[in-house]
Each structure stands twice: as C-alpha cells, then as structure tokens.
Amino acid sequence: MKYDYAQLATLAAILRGGSFDAAAAELSITPSAVSQRIRALEERLGSPLIERGHPCTGTEVGRRLARHAEAVELLESQLARDIQAPAPARSRLRIAVNADSLTTWIIPALAQVDGMMFDMVIDDQDHSADWLKRGAVAGAVTSNAAAVRGCNSRALGALRYVACASPGFVADHFADGVTAASLRAAPALRFNPKDRLQNLWMRHATGQDITPDWHQIAAADAFTKAVEHGLGWGMIPEVLISDQLARGRITRLRPDLPLDTPLYWQVSRIMAEPLSDLTRALHRAARAVLIPVAPD
C-alpha cells in the first residue's frame, strides 16, 4: 500500500500537539483540512487512528503510522545532507528524558545535531520507557536496560547522586548520625511521587523502608536551592553541586555512600539509522559526565 505522506504528517502533528487545531497551526493549514486528511486516511485503512479527547491520542495503528512518518522525514533529511541537496525543513523529534539528565549533560548533545527540532518529554528515568511502549516518543533515556519491544538499548553510563543537605540542616537533624530514626524524623525532598531515589538511598543506608515527611519540588534548580537553604535533604547529581560541595554550602550525609543510577538510550529500531547522529552525540556527551558502568 502506498501512503499519502501529507496525511501521515498530519497524523503525526496531531499526536505531537494533542489536537487538530495544534496540527493545523503547525502545518499552516485549516482545521478543516486536518480533519479531511485524517478522515480520508482512516477510511482508506478501515481503522480509527485518533482517540478524540483532550489531548487527542493515537490508537495503536495511529501511533505506528506516526512513527513511520517521522522516520521517513528523518531519513529524507539525512539523505539531503548526504548528497548535499538543498536542506528540507527541520525534522521534529520527540524524546523522553529525566530532568537531571536534561540539566546536567543532554543539552550539549542536542546542540551537536543539525536539522532537528526537539520536543522533550520530561519524566522519571524509571518511567521514561513507558513513553516508548506507548509509541509516543522515538527514543528515551531510561534506567531500564531491557529493550522495549521494537527498540535498541545501549548503556550510556551512570549518573552519580549524593544524599546531601546544608551544614545547618545536618547539625539540626543528624547531630547523632544518619540513622533510620533521624531519617524518619528529618524533612526530605523529592521531585515528584515517581521520584524514588531518596527511598532507595535510605534503604541502602539503613536496610529499612522509610517514609519521611516530603517537600515536593519538581524543578531541578529549585530543588538544589531548597537543599542549600536548609528546607530538607535530598538526592542531587554530584556534578550539579560540585561548587556548593567545595565551598561547604552543601554537605554529603554519607560521603561513603553515593548512589549511581545507570542510564540507557533506547531508540525505536525503525528510527535507529536516521537518529544515528543523535545517538553518537548522546554517547559523547554522556562520556564527559557519567560514570562508566560494566557491561550487563
């Protein structure tokens, strides 16, 4: 079957923007034209492609076709570069990453890749692979080594976290040491309910599952400032607070107990070749910041 790629591009735009109006704005056509293209594609395939809602989402078939459309767009861009043809419009690429990676090492990698417009989905590293499973992104930085069905998985390295607090907070809450009792009583910070780093570290430190009172701050810079100002203790990438650690504005709770979180780049196999430049850039950037880990 030959596809009308204007129709497929329209489908992909709806799933990116979450509505027919957003797709119309992106493609510079009318909402009526968007509806006509999708209706014609659904009638030809005999299958619904869009789950109408707020936002609109794709059916399994719709997501698969949207990924195909994005892969073709990327391949055409790559071909134009290879044969030195006039550059086509920039390709749009949606990938899922965790906030700490975005803050610490991913941006330099993205800046090395020409011809792409990035749509970054921010989610916890333990959950970012779910976006791949739903077909909502082309690639993801995740803590899951096992490849999602239809994807390749490659190790990037480990992001080192340290449990830390301000010196004053340590004096007030951990004067007698970091114990299960003191951790249970001290206010802690987390990014959001998916953030399990603090719980994991407390289990490593004490052998117990501990649930303290939480401040919830879903912004990396604000999270660090909250630790520095003594609002609570939390897990922060070591590379992000090297200056504060050196100046004594933030201190480690247990210098002997960092928490290394392995990260993997998973990419849809049909997108692996057109995204090869991005994959190489991510690995270069990761080597500069992440800790090498032994192969699985």
Side-chain angles (χ1 to χ4, degrees), residues 8-258:
L8 294 185
T10 303
L11 171 63
I14 292 170
L15 298 192
R16 279 195 299 269
S19 73
F20 283 54
D21 287 342
E26 178 183 325
L27 299 173
S28 299
I29 59 177
T30 66
S32 175
V34 170
S35 296
Q36 290 171 14
R37 289 180 182 181
I38 296 303
R39 183 166 56 249
L41 185 57
E42 288 181 329
E43 288 176 354
R44 186 177 183 211
L45 292 171
S47 174
L49 303 175
I50 301 290
E51 298 283 357
R52 274 70 170 175
H54 303 286
C56 290
T57 57
T59 64
E60 184 176 354
V61 174
R63 295 193 302 268
R64 180 67 178 81
L65 286 173
R67 289 200 304 273
H68 174 74
E70 291 172 344
V72 169
E73 186 179 73
L74 287 166
L75 283 169
E76 288 178 346
S77 296
Q78 184 181 53
L79 177 62
R81 292 194 299 272
D82 290 346
I83 65 175
Q84 298 181 345
R90 292 183 179 91
S91 302
R92 295 182 180 274
L93 181 69
R94 197 178 202 204
I95 59 177
V97 302
N98 59 309
D100 287 331
S101 289
L102 188 63
T103 302
T104 55
W105 65 272
I106 282 181
I107 294 299
L110 304 185
Q112 296 301 310
V113 182
D114 294 328
M116 289 186 186
M117 300 299 293
F118 294 102
D119 177 2
M120 310 300 290
V121 174
I122 313 302
D123 204 348
D124 185 87
Q125 62 270 8
D126 292 337
H127 298 269
S128 53
D130 293 341
W131 292 83
L132 273 173
K133 294 175 184 176
R134 296 196 299 269
V137 298
V141 173
T142 173
S143 61
N144 299 314
V148 171
R149 183 179 179 183
C151 295
N152 296 328
S153 178
R154 291 179 58 188
L156 292 163
L159 187 58
R160 172 160 288 182
Y161 287 84
V162 292
C164 55
S166 69
F169 188 91
V170 172
D172 289 342
H173 296 277
F174 300 113
D176 296 325
V178 179
T179 64
S182 60
L183 286 168
R184 195 171 286 111
L189 297 164
R190 65 181 180 184
F191 194 82
N192 58 33
K194 294 180 179 179
D195 179 8
R196 302 291 298 170
L197 289 172
Q198 286 71 214
N199 300 81
L200 183 59
W201 185 84
M202 287 188 285
R203 169 155 278 283
H204 285 332
T206 69
Q208 298 183 32
D209 291 320
I210 297 171
T211 303
D213 287 332
W214 298 104
H215 296 292
Q216 189 162 294
I217 303 178
D221 289 345
F223 192 105
T224 299
K225 287 181 180 178
V227 168
E228 188 172 349
H229 286 275
L231 191 62
W233 74 272
M235 306 297 297
I236 301 179
E238 188 174 46
V239 66
L240 197 60
I241 54 171
S242 57
D243 181 66
Q244 291 96 322
L245 290 170
R247 293 174 180 269
R249 296 200 297 265
I250 292 177
T251 186
R252 298 173 178 85
L253 299 188
R254 286 276 305 270
D256 62 319
L257 195 63

